[in-house]
Amino acid sequence: MKLHDCQMAPNPRRVRIYLHEKGVEVEKVEHNILAGENIEEAYLKINPWGTLPALELDDGTVIREAPSIFRYIDSI
């Protein structure tokens, strides 16, 4: 799994805290939203909404909202 993240944004922070509290380690990929990295073509291929966070699963599935990421982590 990969967490597409932005250190300064509040919703990715919520997910980082949640993962830490659950003891779940995932690879993190940092995106600079001030530089517009989240709306560049490469990221939009992963998440067409251009939002962060996004949890990319090993099978290529992408979960695009913090509450949905929480539910997914609770289910594994």
Side-chain angles (χ1 to χ4, degrees), residues 1 3 8 14 25-28 30 38 61 69 73:
M1 288 187 290
L3 177 65
M8 65 177 285
R14 289 172 53 206
E25 300 265 339
V26 298
E27 177 184 349
K28 294 179 181 76
E30 181 69 15
N38 60 310
T61 302
I69 293 171
I73 295 299

Side-chain angles (χ1 to χ4, degrees), residues 1 18-19 22-26 55 57-58 63 68-76:
M1 288 187 290
Y18 187 84
L19 292 173
K22 291 290 187 174
V24 176
E25 300 265 339
V26 298
L55 184 65
L57 306 182
D58 295 335
I63 303 171
S68 297
I69 293 171
F70 302 154
R71 283 191 292 269
Y72 174 76
I73 295 299
D74 281 343
S75 75
I76 57 173

